[in-house]
Short mmCIF file of all heavy atoms in Angstrom, two decimals:
data_model
loop_
_atom_site.label_atom_id
_atom_site.label_comp_id
_atom_site.label_asym_id
_atom_site.label_seq_id
_atom_site.Cartn_x
_atom_site.Cartn_y
_atom_site.Cartn_z
N VAL Y 63 21.24 2.40 77.88
CA VAL Y 63 20.79 3.49 78.76
C VAL Y 63 20.67 2.99 80.19
O VAL Y 63 21.05 3.69 81.14
CB VAL Y 63 19.45 4.06 78.26
CG1 VAL Y 63 18.87 5.03 79.27
CG2 VAL Y 63 19.64 4.74 76.90
N ASP Y 64 20.21 1.79 80.35
CA ASP Y 64 20.08 1.24 81.70
C ASP Y 64 21.43 1.23 82.42
O ASP Y 64 21.52 1.58 83.60
CB ASP Y 64 19.54 -0.20 81.63
CG ASP Y 64 18.01 -0.21 81.55
OD1 ASP Y 64 17.42 0.89 81.54
OD2 ASP Y 64 17.44 -1.31 81.48
N ALA Y 65 22.45 0.78 81.71
CA ALA Y 65 23.76 0.70 82.36
C ALA Y 65 24.29 2.08 82.71
O ALA Y 65 24.98 2.26 83.73
CB ALA Y 65 24.75 -0.03 81.45
N LEU Y 66 23.98 3.06 81.88
CA LEU Y 66 24.56 4.40 82.06
C LEU Y 66 23.72 5.26 83.00
O LEU Y 66 24.21 6.28 83.52
CB LEU Y 66 24.71 5.09 80.71
CG LEU Y 66 25.65 4.37 79.73
CD1 LEU Y 66 25.59 5.02 78.35
CD2 LEU Y 66 27.08 4.37 80.26
N ALA Y 67 22.47 4.89 83.20
CA ALA Y 67 21.60 5.70 84.06
C ALA Y 67 22.10 5.69 85.49
O ALA Y 67 22.85 4.79 85.91
CB ALA Y 67 20.17 5.16 83.98
N GLY Y 68 21.69 6.69 86.25
CA GLY Y 68 22.05 6.74 87.66
C GLY Y 68 23.41 7.32 87.95
O GLY Y 68 23.94 7.17 89.05
N HIS Y 69 24.00 7.97 86.97
CA HIS Y 69 25.27 8.68 87.18
C HIS Y 69 25.04 10.16 86.95
O HIS Y 69 24.19 10.56 86.17
CB HIS Y 69 26.33 8.16 86.20
CG HIS Y 69 26.63 6.71 86.34
ND1 HIS Y 69 25.83 5.72 85.79
CD2 HIS Y 69 27.64 6.06 86.99
CE1 HIS Y 69 26.34 4.53 86.09
NE2 HIS Y 69 27.43 4.70 86.81
N GLU Y 70 25.83 10.97 87.63
CA GLU Y 70 25.71 12.41 87.42
C GLU Y 70 26.40 12.87 86.13
O GLU Y 70 26.07 13.90 85.56
CB GLU Y 70 26.30 13.14 88.62
CG GLU Y 70 25.48 12.94 89.89
CD GLU Y 70 26.31 13.19 91.14
OE1 GLU Y 70 26.43 14.35 91.55
OE2 GLU Y 70 26.85 12.19 91.68
N VAL Y 71 27.42 12.10 85.74
CA VAL Y 71 28.14 12.43 84.50
C VAL Y 71 28.29 11.15 83.68
O VAL Y 71 28.63 10.10 84.21
CB VAL Y 71 29.54 13.00 84.80
CG1 VAL Y 71 30.24 13.41 83.50
CG2 VAL Y 71 29.46 14.18 85.77
N VAL Y 72 28.04 11.28 82.39
CA VAL Y 72 28.25 10.17 81.46
C VAL Y 72 29.15 10.66 80.33
O VAL Y 72 28.81 11.62 79.63
CB VAL Y 72 26.92 9.64 80.90
CG1 VAL Y 72 27.18 8.58 79.82
CG2 VAL Y 72 26.04 9.09 82.01
N PHE Y 73 30.29 9.98 80.20
CA PHE Y 73 31.17 10.25 79.05
C PHE Y 73 30.87 9.23 77.97
O PHE Y 73 30.81 8.02 78.23
CB PHE Y 73 32.64 10.12 79.46
CG PHE Y 73 33.15 11.24 80.31
CD1 PHE Y 73 33.16 11.15 81.70
CD2 PHE Y 73 33.64 12.40 79.72
CE1 PHE Y 73 33.64 12.18 82.48
CE2 PHE Y 73 34.13 13.45 80.51
CZ PHE Y 73 34.12 13.34 81.89
N LEU Y 74 30.71 9.73 76.75
CA LEU Y 74 30.46 8.85 75.61
C LEU Y 74 31.70 8.84 74.71
O LEU Y 74 32.09 9.89 74.19
CB LEU Y 74 29.25 9.33 74.82
CG LEU Y 74 27.93 9.46 75.60
CD1 LEU Y 74 26.82 10.02 74.69
CD2 LEU Y 74 27.51 8.11 76.18
N ALA Y 75 32.28 7.68 74.56
CA ALA Y 75 33.41 7.52 73.63
C ALA Y 75 33.01 6.43 72.65
O ALA Y 75 33.48 5.31 72.70
CB ALA Y 75 34.68 7.15 74.39
#
Side-chain angles (χ1 to χ4, degrees):
Chain Y
V63 171
D64 275 1
L66 298 172
H69 299 80
E70 292 158 84
V71 183
V72 174
F73 287 95
L74 303 177

